[in-house]
Structures are given as structure tokens and as C-alpha cells.
Amino acid sequence: MSMHNIRFDFVCQRHVPLYEHLCNQYLERSEFNISIGAESEPQTSKIRYFIEAFAPQAQLESLADDIASDFLLSVWLLDTHIQRIEQHSGQRKPFNIKPLHSGLPLNFCQHCQPKFGDNQHPSFGNINLQCHHCMGHEKLSRDEKSLTQTDIAAMANRLLSHKSLPLPILGITLWLTPPAAILSSTIQPSTISPNADEQLTNSSQTNAPMTKTIKYQRPRILVCNPNSLNSHFIVNDSQMLALSSIEKPLLRVRPSSEHPSLLAPLYDIQFAENRLLVILTEVLRQKGINWLHVTSDIEPHTSQEALLNEPLRLASINQHWLPITTLSDGSIPLPTNVTCLHDEHHYQDDQHTFKVQSTKTDINWQVSDNGAKSSTSASASPLTLPPVLASSCAEDSNTITNDITTSLCALNAAVLRCDPNKNHHKAQFVKHAAVLYFSQQNACQIVTLDSQSNPELFFQLPTLPTSGYEICHSLSESPQKSLLDKFKQLFPAEYNQLLDLHIQADDGALSQLMAVATLIIGAYPVETAQRVTVTELADKFIALAMSHHGNNAPRIDFPLTKGAAHRSLNWCKTLGTLMSFKLAGETNLAKLAFAFHDSFADYLSHWVEHLDQNIGVKQLVIAGSEFANPVLTERVQLRIGKNFPLVVNPLLDLDGVNIAIGGLYLKQRRR
């Protein structure tokens, strides 16, 4: 009987606690003479888990089947291999897994979910079903453990009869139909009652001033019937795999064209992520419910646990899935290619505080809500940026803040890599690098580091005036006046929409520009425009661009203006170009929205080439929450990525923890 040495490889973007847990379990199977290991690739930060086994062919085939079944898909899994080897290189002692890791235990796995989550199985509805594979029964709260199948069936019936179902256990409310005015900051979650949808609808009609307090949130959907997904949403293969992964992330997608009831431009969708929702959605699926609307009820100010249980919101960047903002605590190995200059640092955005500390071996971070009690005070943040001031179309763009701290932090964090075999005797700093940092939270900038690691602000996107009236006034004072006059004459409804627009201080500069573009091309229903927000308009614009078929599009102008300190954008000219296409009779709105993205990426490409000639761009970083926009990311990848490989840090996020960690590497604190 011939014996063989076989190695099973799992190449991952970052650590997957489940895989470490499974490797430890397989180590106990003595009949296969198993060894395990984990190898890191310094240049890419990838980690390769492996299981090596020595056994006869038939036994190895059985082992392969078991491994294929047990190693559930992670969103961080990049590749798998099976190969013959001459000898083992792994270890025979288990991995040391951090206790209480947020990734372990799983809520459920392929062994237990078909039992408690399949209505045909005798154990259906048994939320406490024990599973020694994933230990998901240990992750239940006391309230969840007390639920019976009858209780959960009653929940489903209440949802069907009342159209809404508060689930305080999970901190969410489920809705059969879009909850009308829950987005208003004047309504607190604690007031939601069984007929909350009626109360909210009525209040939105009678309380006129409320329209000014609405803060749009992208609708969130819980999918009850995954088999029906493609008939309601536009989802590609990689998105479907991600939705099905053990992480159960939220992904931003658009509904099918002309969908009768999914009327928002974009949705955040997710599959059931815990045992209660698995059972509840299965009951509802049997009753013909394909999806539910979800709103969050817990005030994070009072619950740090709620923050940690927030679903993972992902964006696809440079063929990596990245969290838009990481909300869980974590750590990475201390990078070795750049010199860490500070022991600790923290960064604060509108909602969260990110505190990081460096040790001799790691960088650790903690995330807290700004309203929650924590040891980090808001006033202590060295990275509280000054407000970005409004800018007009004038050539002099000095009114824009030129603080580049946040962009530099994003640049620093993206290039960090760890190679434990390399020890530099002299200080190492980032050189010949640039960052495209486009954020909804902070200034949108292009910042460079030259051969001496000296930073410079090359470009900053201006924020628009805060009202549509001021925007139109700026246009009328610019060379675009004649276009505006014709636009006003031929499209009075769209012009009035634009006059009624209100921009908030925390609306990102790129989102602002897209919001105004949406109104100019006439992409939003006239009768609802007075209540619409920048975020919703920007979502509409992005969804239109996503629906465009083909790569050909008209050219939209994004001309630079040169101020005393740095370059900015003549946004009047950009909007004037869109007006001219509208006046010329262009009715394909998807083409215009796509053209905006494609032209902007093309201009960015030219600007980066200019920078390359001046400083030599060896690393081009993309960062910031605006890159959760899939069209922007795709066009930047296409227009720039071929000549300048785009750099992200696969271990971090786009806009949050990365900014805090980048601050550890700032050569000086900026005031």
C-alpha cells in the first residue's frame, strides 16, 4: 500500500480564526500523521495556512473531502491548492488562538445550519442545537437561548400582521415595507411600537419642519430567500460568494431595473448572520417573503457591544475586499519597511474614535463610539481637522483648508508591510509616493511625498456652497452664465430643484458634486426633490453609472485651477459641461453619469503622470470612503492602474483604523 505526503494550502488576505481553529482540530486526527503551519508573504501581507498529511491514497481522498467540507468560504480566502510534497515543514503543536476573538466561535456552520435552519429537518427551530464543529450554541445570548420554535413562529406572524417586528435582542427592527420616516433624527428608536410604520408615516406628513432634520441612510435589506436574489438585485459572482461567506458582510448593490417595489437607488444587502435570523427568515421564506428591510435600533452611545456586532461593510478595491471602516478591535504585526515614530495615536471621525498603540511586535487598535464612555476623549485627538471651508469657482482656491495630515496618514498606512526577516539599521521613510484620498468625512486630496519624504498637497477637491441658490449664483458669475440661462429657460423644474438643494457640512466634496450633477441631468423625480439629501442624490448618480453598458462615453471637463498653495477644481466648468449635454438633447442619463466617473478618472490619470515626471511615483495609494463607489474604483483601476499599480493595505480598512495607524508614522504632528 503506497503512502503519500499531501499538503492542503489556503491562501488568505488576512488572518481567518476559523481556519486556525480547524487546523488545530485536524491536528488531533492521529491516523494521518498531520502537521500544520501558517506562512506570511511580506510583500503582499498574504497568509498561507496549510495542513500536511501522510497516509494511503484512499485515506487522503477521504481527508480531502472532509477538509473541503469543513473549511467554509471566508471573504478573505484568495486561493486554495493541493500538492504532493517530499517532507513535512509544519508543526505538530496547535496554533495559539486569541480568546474571545470576534471571529470565533461561528454563529453556525454547514454541520448545524441544515438542521436548525431547514424546515424539513426534525431539529428545525432549535436555536440551542449544540454543534462541536463551530460551537455556535456558545455564542447565543441569554435571551436568545430562551427562544423556542413557537416563539420564533409567533415573531414571524407578528411581522406579517403588523408590518414591523422590533428585535431588541439583536438591536434591530425588521420591516415588510420601507419604513417611511425612520431616518428622521427627531424620532428615537425607543418610540417604535407595533404600529410604528403608521405613526411614522403620519408624522412625516404632518410635521413639515421634520424634512430639514432627515439624514438619509442607505436602505438595508435582509435576504430571506437567496435563490431569488438575482431576480431582485444586480449581483455578480464574487458578490454572491462574499454574501455567502462566514463573515456575512453587507454589500452595496443596485436593484434590478424598473423593480416594482425596490425604489431606492442603492441598497446594502446581507444574508442572515445569526441563528435567530436564520430560523426567522426560513419561516418567512416559506410564507413567500424574499427580503426584509432592516433598521438599527440600538443607540451605539449606550452599547459598545452593539458597535462590535455591526455587520462588516465591504468595498471591492484592487481585487481585494476591504472594510470601508473597521468597527471591531484588532491588531496587525508591526511593519518593518517603515520606521514607527510614535507609541500611540488616535483619530476621530464624526461617529467613532480609533485608538492605536504600537509595541515591539504589533500594532493594536480599539474602536469606540464618540458618545460611548471611553478613556479616549474627543478633545485629545491630534487629528481633529479644521472644517473645510466653502470655495467658489474663482481661480484663487485659498479658501480651502490645506491640512494634509489625514491624507498622509492614509498614505503611510497603505504602504506598511511586515517582513520579520528584515531589520533596518537606519530609519526608513516613505518616498516617491502619492495618495488619492477621497473621503466623505475629510478633505478629498492628492498628496505626494518626494525623494526626501517631504509632503506636498497637489490637489484638493473644493466643497460646494451650502445651498443651491449659492451654487446657481456662482454659476451665473462664471463663464457658464449663458449655459445656466438656457438651462433655466428650457428646464425650469430641474433649475428649481437645484435652487432647493441644501448641502450639509459633513457631506463629502465628491458626493456634493455628484448630487448637483444628478439634479442637472434631471435624474431625480421633481416632486420629491425638496426633501432629498446629498447622499441619496449621489447614490442615484452612482446607480445610474453602474447601469451603463459599454465603455464609450462623452467627455466631461474637470479643469484644474491654480491657487497660491495648491490646485483645485473649477467645478463650474464641470457642471457647465453636463448642462451643455442636457441642452443638446442627451437623454441617456446612465451614459452621462458614467461619463462623469470615466472622465474624472482620466483627468486623475493625467495628473498622476504629471506628478510622476516631477517626483517619480513608485507607489500610488488609493484610500477613503468614496472608493466604496464601485464605478469610481473600476475606472481609476482601468485608467491609472495599468501604469501605476494601485496600493492598498489588505490588512486594514479604507477610512478609519488606517488613518489612526498612519499617524504612528507621521514625521511631525501638524497643527
Side-chain angles (χ1 to χ4, degrees):
M1 183 167 50
S2 61
M3 305 283 283
H4 302 279
N5 269 321
I6 296 293
R7 172 166 150 150
F8 303 86
D9 284 330
F10 298 86
V11 183
C12 302
Q13 180 177 323
R14 54 175 75 186
H15 281 280
V16 180
L18 173 67
Y19 292 1
E20 296 176 6
H21 169 70
L22 289 170
C23 284
N24 287 353
Q25 284 192 331
Y26 274 86
L27 200 56
E28 298 172 5
R29 299 178 64 165
S30 56
E31 72 271 24
F32 292 106
N33 189 15
I34 282 178
S35 58
I36 61 173
E39 301 169 343
S40 61
E41 299 179 10
Q43 294 305 312
T44 61
S45 294
K46 293 176 185 175
I47 184 164
R48 181 186 300 267
Y49 296 106
F50 62 85
I51 295 175
E52 299 165 325
F54 182 66
Q57 179 77 20
Q59 282 186 292
L60 288 172
E61 289 177 1
S62 173
L63 178 69
D65 290 340
D66 290 344
I67 289 176
S69 172
D70 287 341
F71 276 74
L72 298 178
L73 178 67
S74 167
V75 78
W76 311 126
L77 180 65
L78 302 174
D79 201 1
T80 59
H81 304 287
I82 302 177
Q83 59 184 338
R84 289 178 184 270
I85 55 173
E86 292 297 319
Q87 59 186 29
H88 288 206
S89 60
Q91 62 189 35
R92 300 186 190 276
K93 64 177 183 177
F95 292 128
N96 182 20
I97 303 175
K98 292 182 179 179
L100 301 178
H101 192 287
S102 60
L104 283 174
L106 296 181
N107 289 295
F108 53 85
C109 70
Q110 83 284 10
H111 295 284
C112 57
Q113 191 269 343
K115 298 174 184 175
F116 72 78
D118 184 346
N119 67 81
Q120 299 297 313
H121 197 279
S123 296
F124 175 61
N126 179 7
I127 197 171
N128 289 294
L129 184 76
Q130 294 199 2
C131 180
H132 71 276
H133 294 278
C134 68
M135 310 301 287
H137 56 283
E138 294 185 355
K139 205 163 185 177
L140 296 170
S141 67
R142 183 183 301 173
D143 289 334
E144 287 173 294
K145 288 178 181 177
S146 68
L147 293 173
T148 65
Q149 181 183 355
T150 305
D151 293 331
I152 299 173
M155 288 179 179
N157 290 331
R158 181 179 178 185
L159 175 62
L160 293 172
S161 61
H162 290 92
K163 310 299 184 195
S164 67
L165 175 69
L167 290 175
I169 294 174
L170 302 179
I172 60 175
T173 295
L174 304 178
W175 308 75
L176 275 187
T177 54
I182 50 149
L183 304 177
S184 170
S185 60
T186 62
I187 294 180
Q188 298 304 318
S190 58
T191 65
I192 292 178
S193 65
N195 59 343
D197 50 334
E198 295 173 21
Q199 293 177 1
L200 295 170
T201 303
N202 293 337
S203 66
S204 68
Q205 292 169 346
T206 58
N207 187 4
M210 183 195 294
T211 58
K212 293 185 179 180
T213 64
I214 286 177
K215 180 67 176 175
Y216 178 80
Q217 293 178 337
R218 189 172 299 107
R220 177 175 160 189
I221 293 285
L222 173 63
V223 177
C224 300
N225 184 0
N227 293 329
S228 72
L229 188 65
N230 284 321
S231 60
H232 302 292
F233 296 96
I234 308 298
V235 180
N236 61 35
D237 290 344
S238 66
Q239 289 172 318
M240 181 63 86
L241 288 173
L243 289 167
S244 306
S245 69
I246 57 177
E247 288 80 11
K248 298 293 181 288
L250 275 174
L251 297 187
R252 189 178 307 181
V253 301
R254 67 183 181 92
S256 302
S257 300
E258 309 300 325
H259 196 284
S261 56
L262 293 169
L263 305 180
L266 296 175
Y267 289 85
D268 286 331
I269 67 171
Q270 182 184 31
F271 289 174
E273 62 173 331
N274 56 57
R275 289 187 171 202
L276 172 54
L277 292 180
V278 166
I279 299 167
L280 187 58
T281 54
E282 173 64 3
V283 173
L284 292 165
R285 185 194 66 80
Q286 287 179 269
K287 298 176 183 293
I289 305 300
N290 289 320
W291 75 85
L292 298 168
H293 294 266
V294 183
T295 55
S296 177
D297 291 347
I298 287 184
E299 282 289 321
H301 306 290
T302 59
S303 175
Q304 183 67 13
E305 184 182 355
L307 182 68
L308 295 175
N309 290 331
E310 276 284 304
L312 187 65
R313 295 174 187 267
L314 294 181
S316 181
I317 308 286
N318 203 14
Q319 296 167 337
H320 290 92
W321 286 111
L322 287 184
I324 299 170
T325 300
T326 298
L327 297 181
S328 57
D329 298 348
S331 67
I332 60 171
L334 184 70
T336 55
N337 63 326
V338 184
T339 300
C340 188
L341 299 174
H342 308 283
D343 295 330
E344 65 177 56
H345 187 243
H346 52 273
Y347 160 68
Q348 176 184 315
D349 65 17
D350 289 347
Q351 296 176 287
H352 307 108
T353 297
F354 307 89
K355 183 176 181 179
V356 299
Q357 293 178 307
S358 63
T359 68
K360 290 183 178 180
T361 57
D362 299 285
I363 293 177
N364 303 293
W365 67 80
Q366 294 85 39
V367 185
S368 60
D369 185 87
N370 287 345
K373 294 179 181 178
S374 83
S375 58
T376 305
S377 67
S379 60
S381 172
L383 262 182
T384 303
L385 301 182
V388 178
L389 303 173
S391 167
S392 72
C393 296
E395 288 293 315
D396 184 6
S397 54
N398 286 334
T399 50
I400 307 174
T401 174
N402 63 356
D403 190 288
I404 59 175
T405 304
T406 311
S407 297
L408 281 176
C409 288
L411 196 166
N412 285 336
V415 302
L416 297 177
R417 298 293 184 267
C418 183
D419 186 349
N421 299 318
K422 284 189 177 180
N423 290 308
H424 298 291
H425 298 294
K426 64 176 184 176
Q428 302 288 311
F429 301 109
V430 184
K431 303 175 182 177
H432 297 293
V435 60
L436 308 179
Y437 178 67
F438 296 133
S439 173
Q440 293 168 319
Q441 298 272 358
N442 302 304
C444 297
Q445 298 176 332
I446 301 175
V447 172
T448 62
L449 288 170
D450 63 15
S451 60
Q452 303 300 312
S453 299
N454 294 320
E456 183 177 354
L457 175 60
F458 172 77
F459 169 82
Q460 181 166 311
L461 199 63
T463 53
L464 300 186
T466 55
S467 74
Y469 177 83
E470 293 174 82
I471 290 170
C472 289
H473 179 72
S474 294
L475 286 165
S476 67
E477 296 287 308
S478 77
Q480 316 307 315
K481 182 181 187 306
S482 60
L483 282 171
L484 181 69
D485 291 342
K486 292 177 185 175
F487 182 80
K488 179 179 178 181
Q489 182 180 355
L490 290 178
F491 303 104
E494 285 84 350
Y495 178 76
N496 286 329
Q497 272 187 317
L498 186 53
L499 286 178
D500 288 335
L501 178 66
H502 289 278
I503 292 176
Q504 304 296 320
D506 57 353
D507 290 325
L510 188 56
S511 292
Q512 293 175 14
L513 195 60
M514 289 193 289
V516 178
T518 306
L519 296 180
I520 285 175
I521 66 175
Y524 204 84
V526 173
E527 63 274 10
T528 56
Q530 290 83 345
R531 301 181 59 188
V532 78
T533 64
V534 163
T535 305
E536 188 175 5
L537 287 170
D539 269 11
K540 178 67 176 177
F541 199 68
I542 294 166
L544 274 173
M546 291 168 72
S547 70
H548 177 68
H549 300 292
N551 291 316
N552 296 325
R555 179 85 163 172
I556 309 295
D557 288 335
F558 287 86
L560 289 175
T561 64
K562 183 68 175 81
H566 60 272
R567 295 156 192 80
S568 186
L569 177 72
N570 180 347
W571 55 265
C572 287
K573 179 66 173 172
T574 304
L575 297 179
T577 310
L578 287 168
M579 281 184 190
S580 65
F581 282 114
K582 179 76 173 172
L583 291 167
E586 179 59 73
T587 58
N588 188 337
L589 305 188
K591 182 194 287 187
L592 289 178
F594 176 82
F596 178 100
H597 287 81
D598 186 55
S599 298
F600 185 49
D602 194 35
Y603 273 88
L604 288 174
S605 175
H606 290 303
W607 301 341
V608 172
E609 287 174 8
H610 170 79
L611 292 172
D612 185 43
Q613 292 172 1
N614 288 343
I615 66 162
V617 178
K618 295 180 180 177
Q619 299 183 95
L620 179 63
V621 169
I622 58 172
S625 54
E626 290 285 13
F627 280 107
N629 174 349
V631 187
L632 176 65
T633 305
E634 177 199 46
R635 302 321 293 175
V636 166
Q637 179 75 48
L638 188 74
R639 293 286 191 179
I640 309 176
K642 292 177 181 176
N643 298 323
F644 300 92
L646 305 177
V647 178
V648 295
N649 191 328
L651 302 180
L652 298 177
D653 54 10
L654 273 177
D655 216 347
V657 170
N658 65 325
I659 308 299
I661 286 179
L664 296 174
Y665 295 82
L666 285 176
K667 293 180 75 172
Q668 62 184 28
R669 301 287 195 203
R670 288 183 164 268
R671 294 185 180 273

